[in-house]
Coordinates of all heavy atoms in Angstrom, one line a residue:
M798 N 24.4 -22.8 -26.8 CA 23.4 -22.6 -25.7 C 22.7 -24.0 -25.6 O 22.2 -24.5 -26.6 CB 22.5 -21.5 -26.1 CG 21.6 -21.1 -25.0 SD 20.4 -19.7 -25.4 CE 21.4 -18.3 -25.1
T799 N 22.6 -24.4 -24.4 CA 21.9 -25.7 -24.2 C 20.4 -25.5 -24.4 O 19.9 -24.4 -24.3 CB 22.2 -26.2 -22.8 OG1 21.5 -25.4 -21.8 CG2 23.7 -26.3 -22.5
N800 N 19.7 -26.6 -24.5 CA 18.2 -26.6 -24.7 C 17.6 -26.0 -23.5 O 16.6 -25.2 -23.6 CB 17.7 -28.0 -25.0 CG 17.9 -28.4 -26.4 OD1 18.2 -27.6 -27.3 ND2 17.9 -29.7 -26.6
D801 N 18.0 -26.3 -22.3 CA 17.4 -25.7 -21.1 C 17.6 -24.2 -21.0 O 16.7 -23.5 -20.7 CB 18.0 -26.3 -19.8 CG 17.6 -27.7 -19.5 OD1 16.6 -28.2 -20.1 OD2 18.3 -28.4 -18.8
R802 N 18.8 -23.7 -21.4 CA 19.0 -22.3 -21.4 C 18.1 -21.6 -22.5 O 17.6 -20.5 -22.3 CB 20.5 -22.0 -21.6 CG 21.3 -22.3 -20.4 CD 22.7 -21.9 -20.5 NE 22.8 -20.5 -20.6 CZ 23.9 -19.8 -21.0 NH1 24.9 -20.5 -21.5 NH2 23.9 -18.5 -21.1
K803 N 18.0 -22.2 -23.7 CA 17.2 -21.7 -24.7 C 15.7 -21.6 -24.3 O 15.0 -20.6 -24.5 CB 17.3 -22.6 -26.0 CG 18.5 -22.4 -26.8 CD 18.5 -23.3 -28.0 CE 19.9 -23.2 -28.7 NZ 19.9 -24.0 -29.9
K804 N 15.2 -22.7 -23.6 CA 13.9 -22.7 -23.1 C 13.7 -21.6 -22.1 O 12.6 -20.9 -22.1 CB 13.6 -24.1 -22.5 CG 12.2 -24.2 -22.0 CD 11.9 -25.6 -21.5 CE 10.5 -25.7 -20.9 NZ 10.3 -27.0 -20.2
D805 N 14.6 -21.4 -21.2 CA 14.5 -20.4 -20.2 C 14.5 -19.0 -20.8 O 13.7 -18.2 -20.4 CB 15.7 -20.5 -19.2 CG 15.6 -19.6 -18.0 OD1 14.6 -19.6 -17.3 OD2 16.6 -18.7 -17.9
A806 N 15.4 -18.8 -21.8 CA 15.4 -17.5 -22.5 C 14.1 -17.2 -23.2 O 13.6 -16.1 -23.1 CB 16.6 -17.5 -23.4
R807 N 13.6 -18.2 -23.8 CA 12.3 -18.0 -24.6 C 11.2 -17.7 -23.6 O 10.3 -16.8 -23.9 CB 12.0 -19.3 -25.4 CG 10.7 -19.2 -26.2 CD 10.9 -18.2 -27.3 NE 9.7 -18.0 -28.0 CZ 9.3 -16.8 -28.4 NH1 10.0 -15.7 -28.3 NH2 8.1 -16.7 -29.0
E808 N 11.2 -18.4 -22.5 CA 10.1 -18.1 -21.5 C 10.2 -16.7 -20.9 O 9.2 -16.0 -20.8 CB 10.3 -19.1 -20.3 CG 9.2 -18.9 -19.3 CD 9.3 -20.0 -18.1 OE1 10.5 -20.4 -17.8 OE2 8.3 -20.3 -17.6
K809 N 11.4 -16.2 -20.7 CA 11.6 -14.8 -20.2 C 11.2 -13.8 -21.3 O 10.6 -12.8 -20.9 CB 13.1 -14.6 -19.8 CG 13.4 -15.3 -18.5 CD 14.9 -15.2 -18.2 CE 15.2 -16.0 -17.0 NZ 16.7 -16.0 -16.7
I810 N 11.5 -14.1 -22.5 CA 11.1 -13.2 -23.6 C 9.6 -13.1 -23.7 O 9.0 -12.1 -23.8 CB 11.7 -13.6 -24.9 CG1 13.2 -13.4 -24.9 CG2 11.0 -12.9 -26.1 CD1 14.0 -14.1 -26.0
T811 N 8.9 -14.3 -23.6 CA 7.5 -14.3 -23.6 C 6.8 -13.6 -22.5 O 5.9 -12.8 -22.7 CB 7.0 -15.8 -23.6 OG1 7.5 -16.5 -24.7 CG2 5.5 -15.9 -23.6
L812 N 7.4 -13.8 -21.3 CA 6.8 -13.1 -20.1 C 7.1 -11.5 -20.2 O 6.2 -10.8 -19.9 CB 7.5 -13.6 -18.8 CG 7.1 -15.0 -18.5 CD1 7.9 -15.6 -17.3 CD2 5.6 -15.2 -18.2
G813 N 8.2 -11.1 -20.8 CA 8.5 -9.7 -21.0 C 7.5 -9.2 -22.0 O 7.0 -8.0 -21.9
G814 N 7.1 -9.9 -23.0 CA 6.1 -9.5 -24.0 C 4.8 -9.3 -23.3 O 4.0 -8.4 -23.7
L815 N 4.4 -10.0 -22.3 CA 3.2 -9.8 -21.6 C 3.2 -8.5 -20.9 O 2.2 -7.8 -20.8 CB 2.9 -10.9 -20.6 CG 2.6 -12.3 -21.2 CD1 2.5 -13.4 -20.2 CD2 1.3 -12.2 -22.1
V816 N 4.3 -8.1 -20.3 CA 4.4 -6.8 -19.6 C 4.2 -5.7 -20.7 O 3.5 -4.7 -20.4 CB 5.8 -6.7 -19.0 CG1 6.1 -5.3 -18.5 CG2 6.0 -7.7 -17.8
V817 N 4.8 -5.8 -21.8 CA 4.7 -4.8 -22.9 C 3.2 -4.8 -23.3 O 2.6 -3.7 -23.5 CB 5.6 -5.1 -24.1 CG1 5.3 -4.2 -25.3 CG2 7.1 -4.9 -23.6
K818 N 2.6 -5.9 -23.6 CA 1.2 -6.0 -24.0 C 0.3 -5.3 -23.0 O -0.7 -4.7 -23.4 CB 0.8 -7.5 -24.2 CG -0.6 -7.7 -24.8 CD -0.8 -9.1 -25.1 CE -2.1 -9.4 -25.8 NZ -2.3 -8.6 -27.0
A819 N 0.6 -5.4 -21.8 CA -0.3 -4.8 -20.7 C -0.1 -3.3 -20.6 O -0.8 -2.7 -19.8 CB 0.0 -5.5 -19.4
G820 N 0.9 -2.8 -21.4 CA 1.1 -1.3 -21.3 C 2.0 -0.9 -20.2 O 2.0 0.2 -19.8
L821 N 2.8 -1.8 -19.7 CA 3.6 -1.6 -18.5 C 5.1 -1.5 -18.8 O 5.9 -1.7 -18.0 CB 3.4 -2.6 -17.4 CG 1.9 -2.7 -16.9 CD1 1.7 -3.9 -16.0 CD2 1.6 -1.4 -16.1
R822 N 5.4 -1.2 -20.1 CA 6.9 -1.2 -20.5 C 7.7 -0.2 -19.7 O 8.8 -0.5 -19.3 CB 6.9 -0.8 -22.0 CG 8.4 -0.7 -22.5 CD 8.4 -0.1 -23.9 NE 7.7 -0.9 -24.9 CZ 8.2 -1.8 -25.7 NH1 9.5 -1.9 -25.7 NH2 7.5 -2.4 -26.6
Q823 N 7.1 0.9 -19.3 CA 7.8 2.0 -18.6 C 7.6 1.9 -17.1 O 8.1 2.7 -16.3 CB 7.3 3.4 -19.0 CG 7.6 3.6 -20.5 CD 9.0 3.5 -20.9 OE1 9.9 3.9 -20.2 NE2 9.3 2.9 -22.1
A824 N 6.9 0.8 -16.6 CA 6.7 0.7 -15.2 C 7.9 0.5 -14.4 O 8.9 -0.2 -14.8 CB 5.6 -0.4 -14.9
D825 N 7.9 0.9 -13.2 CA 9.0 0.7 -12.2 C 9.1 -0.8 -11.9 O 8.1 -1.4 -11.7 CB 8.7 1.5 -11.0 CG 9.8 1.3 -9.9 OD1 10.8 2.0 -10.0 OD2 9.5 0.5 -9.0
R826 N 10.3 -1.3 -11.8 CA 10.5 -2.8 -11.6 C 9.9 -3.2 -10.2 O 9.3 -4.3 -10.1 CB 12.0 -3.1 -11.6 CG 12.5 -3.1 -13.0 CD 14.0 -3.3 -13.1 NE 14.4 -4.5 -12.3 CZ 15.6 -4.9 -12.1 NH1 16.6 -4.2 -12.6 NH2 15.8 -5.9 -11.3
A827 N 10.0 -2.4 -9.2 CA 9.4 -2.7 -7.9 C 7.9 -2.8 -8.0 O 7.3 -3.6 -7.4 CB 9.9 -1.7 -6.9
F828 N 7.3 -1.8 -8.8 CA 5.9 -1.9 -9.0 C 5.5 -3.1 -9.6 O 4.5 -3.8 -9.2 CB 5.4 -0.6 -9.8 CG 4.0 -0.7 -10.2 CD1 3.0 -0.4 -9.4 CD2 3.7 -1.1 -11.5 CE1 1.7 -0.5 -9.8 CE2 2.4 -1.2 -11.9 CZ 1.4 -0.9 -11.1
L829 N 6.1 -3.5 -10.7 CA 5.8 -4.7 -11.4 C 5.9 -6.0 -10.5 O 5.0 -6.8 -10.6 CB 6.7 -4.9 -12.7 CG 6.5 -4.0 -13.8 CD1 7.6 -4.2 -14.9 CD2 5.1 -4.3 -14.4
L830 N 7.0 -6.0 -9.8 CA 7.1 -7.2 -8.9 C 6.0 -7.2 -7.8 O 5.4 -8.3 -7.5 CB 8.5 -7.2 -8.2 CG 8.8 -8.3 -7.3 CD1 8.6 -9.7 -8.0 CD2 10.2 -8.2 -6.7
G831 N 5.6 -6.0 -7.3 CA 4.5 -6.0 -6.4 C 3.2 -6.4 -7.0 O 2.5 -7.2 -6.3
V832 N 3.0 -6.0 -8.2 CA 1.7 -6.5 -8.9 C 1.7 -8.0 -9.0 O 0.7 -8.7 -8.8 CB 1.6 -5.8 -10.3 CG1 0.5 -6.4 -11.1 CG2 1.3 -4.3 -10.1
L833 N 2.9 -8.5 -9.5 CA 3.0 -10.0 -9.7 C 2.9 -10.7 -8.3 O 2.2 -11.8 -8.3 CB 4.3 -10.3 -10.4 CG 4.3 -9.8 -11.8 CD1 5.7 -10.0 -12.4 CD2 3.3 -10.5 -12.7
L834 N 3.4 -10.2 -7.3 CA 3.3 -10.8 -6.0 C 1.8 -10.8 -5.5 O 1.4 -11.8 -5.0 CB 4.2 -10.2 -4.9 CG 5.7 -10.4 -5.1 CD1 6.5 -9.5 -4.2 CD2 6.0 -11.9 -4.9
E835 N 1.1 -9.7 -5.7 CA -0.3 -9.7 -5.4 C -1.0 -10.7 -6.2 O -1.9 -11.4 -5.7 CB -0.8 -8.3 -5.7 CG -0.5 -7.3 -4.6 CD -1.2 -7.5 -3.3 OE1 -2.4 -7.8 -3.3 OE2 -0.6 -7.3 -2.3
A836 N -0.8 -10.8 -7.5 CA -1.4 -11.7 -8.4 C -1.2 -13.2 -7.9 O -2.1 -14.0 -8.0 CB -1.0 -11.5 -9.8
A837 N 0.1 -13.4 -7.5 CA 0.4 -14.8 -7.1 C -0.3 -15.2 -5.8 O -0.5 -16.4 -5.5 CB 1.9 -14.9 -6.8
S838 N -0.8 -14.2 -5.1 CA -1.5 -14.6 -3.8 C -3.0 -14.8 -4.0 O -3.7 -15.2 -3.1 CB -1.3 -13.4 -2.8 OG -2.1 -12.3 -3.2
I839 N -3.5 -14.6 -5.3 CA -4.9 -14.8 -5.6 C -5.2 -16.3 -5.8 O -4.5 -16.9 -6.6 CB -5.3 -14.0 -6.8 CG1 -5.2 -12.5 -6.5 CG2 -6.8 -14.3 -7.2 CD1 -5.3 -11.6 -7.7
R840 N -6.1 -16.8 -5.1 CA -6.4 -18.3 -5.2 C -7.1 -18.5 -6.6 O -7.9 -17.7 -7.1 CB -7.4 -18.7 -4.1 CG -6.8 -18.7 -2.7 CD -7.8 -19.1 -1.7 NE -8.8 -20.0 -2.1 CZ -9.7 -20.6 -1.4 NH1 -9.8 -20.3 -0.1 NH2 -10.6 -21.4 -1.9
T841 N -6.7 -19.6 -7.2 CA -7.1 -19.9 -8.5 C -8.6 -20.3 -8.6 O -9.2 -20.2 -9.7 CB -6.3 -21.1 -9.1 OG1 -6.4 -22.3 -8.3 CG2 -4.9 -20.7 -9.3
D842 N -9.2 -20.5 -7.5 CA -10.7 -20.8 -7.5 C -11.5 -19.6 -7.1 O -12.7 -19.7 -6.9 CB -11.0 -22.0 -6.6 CG -10.6 -21.8 -5.1 OD1 -9.9 -20.8 -4.8 OD2 -11.0 -22.6 -4.3
S843 N -10.8 -18.4 -7.0 CA -11.5 -17.2 -6.5 C -12.2 -16.5 -7.7 O -11.8 -16.7 -8.9 CB -10.6 -16.3 -5.8 OG -9.7 -15.7 -6.7
N844 N -13.2 -15.7 -7.4 CA -13.8 -14.9 -8.4 C -12.8 -13.9 -9.0 O -12.9 -13.6 -10.2 CB -15.0 -14.1 -7.8 CG -16.2 -15.0 -7.5 OD1 -16.3 -16.0 -8.1 ND2 -17.0 -14.5 -6.6
E845 N -11.9 -13.3 -8.2 CA -10.9 -12.4 -8.7 C -10.0 -13.1 -9.7 O -9.7 -12.5 -10.8 CB -10.1 -11.8 -7.5 CG -9.1 -10.8 -8.0 CD -9.7 -9.5 -8.4 OE1 -10.9 -9.3 -8.5 OE2 -8.9 -8.6 -8.7
H846 N -9.6 -14.3 -9.5 CA -8.8 -15.0 -10.4 C -9.5 -15.2 -11.8 O -9.0 -15.0 -12.8 CB -8.3 -16.4 -9.9 CG -7.5 -17.1 -10.8 ND1 -7.9 -18.0 -11.7 CD2 -6.1 -17.2 -10.9 CE1 -6.9 -18.5 -12.4 NE2 -5.8 -18.0 -11.9
H847 N -10.8 -15.6 -11.7 CA -11.6 -15.9 -12.9 C -11.8 -14.5 -13.6 O -11.7 -14.5 -14.9 CB -12.9 -16.5 -12.5 CG -12.8 -17.9 -12.0 ND1 -12.3 -18.9 -12.8 CD2 -13.0 -18.4 -10.8 CE1 -12.2 -20.0 -12.1 NE2 -12.6 -19.8 -10.8
R848 N -12.0 -13.5 -12.9 CA -12.2 -12.1 -13.5 C -11.0 -11.7 -14.3 O -11.0 -11.3 -15.4 CB -12.6 -11.1 -12.5 CG -12.9 -9.7 -13.1 CD -13.1 -8.7 -12.0 NE -11.8 -8.3 -11.3 CZ -10.9 -7.5 -11.8 NH1 -11.1 -6.9 -13.0 NH2 -9.8 -7.2 -11.1
L849 N -9.8 -11.8 -13.6 CA -8.6 -11.4 -14.3 C -8.2 -12.3 -15.4 O -7.7 -11.8 -16.5 CB -7.4 -11.4 -13.2 CG -7.6 -10.3 -12.1 CD1 -6.5 -10.5 -11.0 CD2 -7.5 -8.9 -12.7
K850 N -8.4 -13.6 -15.3 CA -8.2 -14.5 -16.4 C -9.0 -14.2 -17.6 O -8.6 -14.2 -18.8 CB -8.4 -16.0 -15.9 CG -8.0 -17.0 -17.0 CD -8.0 -18.4 -16.4 CE -7.6 -19.4 -17.4 NZ -7.6 -20.8 -16.9
A851 N -10.3 -13.9 -17.4 CA -11.2 -13.5 -18.5 C -10.8 -12.2 -19.1 O -10.8 -12.1 -20.4 CB -12.7 -13.4 -17.9
K852 N -10.3 -11.3 -18.3 CA -9.8 -10.0 -18.9 C -8.6 -10.3 -19.8 O -8.5 -9.7 -20.9 CB -9.5 -9.1 -17.8 CG -9.1 -7.7 -18.2 CD -9.1 -6.7 -17.1 CE -8.9 -5.3 -17.6 NZ -9.1 -4.3 -16.5
G853 N -7.7 -11.1 -19.3 CA -6.5 -11.5 -20.1 C -6.9 -12.2 -21.4 O -6.4 -11.9 -22.5
A854 N -7.8 -13.1 -21.3 CA -8.3 -13.9 -22.5 C -8.9 -12.9 -23.5 O -8.7 -13.1 -24.7 CB -9.3 -15.0 -22.1
M855 N -9.7 -12.0 -23.0 CA -10.3 -11.0 -23.9 C -9.2 -10.2 -24.6 O -9.3 -9.9 -25.8 CB -11.2 -10.1 -23.2 CG -12.0 -9.1 -24.1 SD -13.3 -8.1 -23.4 CE -12.9 -7.9 -21.7
A856 N -8.2 -9.8 -23.9 CA -7.1 -9.0 -24.5 C -6.4 -9.9 -25.6 O -6.1 -9.3 -26.7 CB -6.1 -8.6 -23.5
F857 N -6.2 -11.1 -25.4 CA -5.6 -12.0 -26.4 C -6.5 -12.1 -27.6 O -6.0 -12.1 -28.8 CB -5.3 -13.4 -25.9 CG -4.0 -13.5 -25.1 CD1 -4.0 -13.9 -23.8 CD2 -2.8 -13.1 -25.6 CE1 -2.8 -14.0 -23.0 CE2 -1.6 -13.2 -24.9 CZ -1.6 -13.6 -23.6
R858 N -7.8 -12.3 -27.4 CA -8.7 -12.4 -28.5 C -8.7 -11.1 -29.3 O -8.8 -11.1 -30.5 CB -10.1 -12.7 -28.0 CG -10.4 -14.2 -27.6 CD -11.8 -14.5 -27.4 NE -12.5 -13.6 -26.4 CZ -12.5 -13.9 -25.1 NH1 -11.9 -15.0 -24.6 NH2 -13.1 -13.0 -24.3
S859 N -8.7 -10.0 -28.6 CA -8.7 -8.7 -29.3 C -7.5 -8.5 -30.1 O -7.6 -8.1 -31.3 CB -8.8 -7.6 -28.2 OG -8.8 -6.3 -28.8
D860 N -6.4 -9.0 -29.6 CA -5.1 -8.9 -30.3 C -5.1 -9.8 -31.6 O -4.7 -9.3 -32.7 CB -3.9 -9.3 -29.4 CG -2.6 -9.0 -30.1 OD1 -2.3 -7.9 -30.6 OD2 -1.8 -10.0 -30.1
R861 N -5.6 -11.0 -31.5 CA -5.7 -11.9 -32.6 C -6.7 -11.3 -33.7 O -6.4 -11.4 -34.9 CB -6.2 -13.3 -32.2 CG -5.1 -14.1 -31.6 CD -5.5 -15.6 -31.5 NE -6.7 -15.8 -30.7 CZ -6.7 -16.0 -29.4 NH1 -5.6 -16.0 -28.7 NH2 -7.9 -16.2 -28.7
A862 N -7.8 -10.7 -33.2 CA -8.7 -10.2 -34.2 C -8.1 -9.0 -34.9 O -8.3 -8.8 -36.1 CB -10.0 -9.7 -33.5
A863 N -7.4 -8.2 -34.2 CA -6.7 -7.0 -34.8 C -5.7 -7.4 -35.8 O -5.6 -6.8 -36.9 CB -6.1 -6.1 -33.7
R864 N -4.9 -8.5 -35.5 CA -3.9 -9.0 -36.4 C -4.6 -9.6 -37.7 O -4.0 -9.5 -38.8 CB -3.0 -10.0 -35.8 CG -1.9 -9.3 -34.9 CD -0.9 -10.3 -34.4 NE -1.6 -11.0 -33.2 CZ -1.5 -12.3 -33.0 NH1 -0.7 -13.0 -33.8 NH2 -2.0 -12.8 -32.0
A865 N -5.7 -10.2 -37.5 CA -6.4 -10.8 -38.6 C -7.2 -9.7 -39.4 O -7.8 -10.1 -40.5 CB -7.4 -11.9 -38.1
G866 N -7.3 -8.5 -38.9 CA -8.0 -7.4 -39.6 C -9.5 -7.5 -39.4 O -10.3 -6.8 -40.0
A867 N -9.9 -8.3 -38.4 CA -11.4 -8.4 -38.1 C -11.7 -7.4 -37.0 O -10.9 -7.1 -36.2 CB -11.7 -9.8 -37.7
P868 N -12.9 -7.0 -37.0 CA -13.3 -6.1 -35.9 C -13.3 -6.9 -34.6 O -13.6 -8.1 -34.6 CB -14.8 -5.6 -36.3 CG -15.2 -6.6 -37.3 CD -14.0 -7.2 -38.0
D869 N -13.1 -6.2 -33.5 CA -13.1 -6.8 -32.2 C -14.5 -7.3 -31.8 O -15.5 -6.7 -32.2 CB -12.6 -5.8 -31.1 CG -11.2 -5.4 -31.2 OD1 -10.4 -6.1 -31.9 OD2 -10.8 -4.5 -30.5
Q870 N -14.5 -8.4 -31.1 CA -15.8 -8.9 -30.6 C -16.3 -8.0 -29.5 O -17.5 -7.8 -29.4 CB -15.6 -10.3 -30.0 CG -15.1 -11.3 -31.0 CD -16.2 -11.6 -32.0 OE1 -17.4 -11.5 -31.8 NE2 -15.8 -11.9 -33.2
Q871 N -15.5 -7.4 -28.7 CA -15.9 -6.5 -27.6 C -14.9 -5.3 -27.7 O -13.7 -5.5 -28.1 CB -15.9 -7.2 -26.3 CG -16.9 -8.2 -26.2 CD -16.9 -8.8 -24.8 OE1 -16.2 -8.4 -23.9 NE2 -17.8 -9.8 -24.6
P872 N -15.2 -4.2 -27.2 CA -14.3 -3.1 -27.2 C -13.1 -3.4 -26.3 O -13.2 -4.0 -25.2 CB -15.1 -1.9 -26.6 CG -16.4 -2.4 -26.1 CD -16.5 -3.8 -26.6
S873 N -11.9 -3.1 -26.8 CA -10.7 -3.3 -26.0 C -10.6 -2.3 -24.9 O -11.1 -1.2 -25.0 CB -9.5 -3.3 -26.9 OG -9.3 -2.0 -27.4
S874 N -10.0 -2.7 -23.8 CA -9.8 -1.8 -22.7 C -8.4 -1.3 -22.6 O -7.5 -2.0 -23.1 CB -10.2 -2.5 -21.4 OG -9.4 -3.6 -21.2
E875 N -8.2 -0.1 -22.1 CA -6.9 0.5 -21.9 C -6.2 -0.3 -20.8 O -6.8 -0.9 -20.0 CB -7.0 1.9 -21.6 CG -7.5 2.8 -22.7 CD -6.6 2.9 -23.9 OE1 -5.4 3.0 -23.6 OE2 -7.0 2.8 -25.0
P876 N -4.8 -0.2 -20.7 CA -4.1 -0.7 -19.5 C -4.7 -0.1 -18.3 O -5.3 0.9 -18.3 CB -2.7 -0.3 -19.7 CG -2.6 0.0 -21.2 CD -3.9 0.4 -21.7
A877 N -4.5 -0.8 -17.2 CA -5.2 -0.5 -15.9 C -5.3 1.0 -15.6 O -6.3 1.5 -15.3 CB -4.5 -1.3 -14.8
S878 N -4.2 1.7 -15.7 CA -4.2 3.1 -15.3 C -3.9 4.0 -16.5 O -4.2 5.2 -16.5 CB -3.3 3.4 -14.2 OG -1.9 3.2 -14.7
G879 N -3.3 3.4 -17.5 CA -3.0 4.2 -18.7 C -1.6 4.9 -18.5 O -0.9 5.1 -19.4
K880 N -1.3 5.3 -17.3 CA 0.0 6.0 -17.0 C 0.6 5.3 -15.8 O -0.1 4.9 -14.9 CB -0.3 7.5 -16.7 CG -0.8 8.3 -17.8 CD -0.9 9.7 -17.5 CE -1.5 10.5 -18.6 NZ -1.8 11.9 -18.3
I881 N 1.9 5.2 -15.9 CA 2.6 4.6 -14.8 C 3.6 5.6 -14.2 O 4.4 6.2 -14.9 CB 3.5 3.4 -15.3 CG1 2.6 2.4 -16.0 CG2 4.3 2.7 -14.2 CD1 1.5 1.8 -15.2
A882 N 3.5 5.8 -12.9 CA 4.4 6.7 -12.2 C 5.5 5.9 -11.6 O 5.4 4.8 -11.1 CB 3.7 7.3 -11.1
D883 N 6.8 6.3 -11.8 CA 7.9 5.7 -11.2 C 7.9 5.9 -9.8 O 7.5 7.0 -9.3 CB 9.2 6.2 -11.8 CG 9.4 5.7 -13.3 OD1 9.0 4.6 -13.6 OD2 10.0 6.5 -14.1
G884 N 8.3 4.9 -9.0 CA 8.3 5.1 -7.6 C 9.3 4.3 -7.0 O 9.7 3.8 -6.2

């Protein structure tokens, strides 16, 4: 496997891990793509972008704290809806 292919495969694995971390493992593929397309349309200088980025950063911090055995700095939140309907 070439270095470019290895890098591409690693990136896809990492991105898939984010889907799992968000609690969307069972989500319909069309739904996931729709969510990502909506996210891609959010301007990086918007309040919504900053809000979502902060929420993601908090989830990463919470995960690191849990792995380290330390109590969370703030309560962790459930995935957006908790349940995903196939559609």
Side-chain angles (χ1 to χ4, degrees):
M798 190 180 274
T799 67
N800 282 340
D801 287 342
R802 289 186 66 200
K803 286 181 184 179
K804 183 179 175 184
D805 184 59
R807 181 69 186 142
E808 183 178 32
K809 289 174 182 174
I810 290 167
T811 300
L812 293 172
L815 293 174
V816 170
V817 171
K818 183 173 186 58
L821 297 171
R822 180 188 298 260
Q823 301 300 319
D825 178 84
R826 289 175 46 185
F828 170 78
L829 286 174
L830 183 56
V832 167
L833 294 170
L834 290 169
E835 283 288 318
S838 72
I839 298 171
R840 291 179 31 178
T841 57
D842 61 349
S843 71
N844 289 337
E845 182 70 357
H846 181 272
H847 293 294
R848 183 186 73 80
L849 292 171
K850 187 173 180 178
K852 188 170 188 166
M855 185 172 28
F857 280 124
R858 282 192 304 272
S859 177
D860 187 53
R861 280 194 301 270
R864 282 186 282 139
D869 290 349
Q870 297 293 330
Q871 295 183 3
S873 64
S874 59
E875 293 293 319
S878 67
K880 295 181 182 177
I881 303 300
D883 289 327

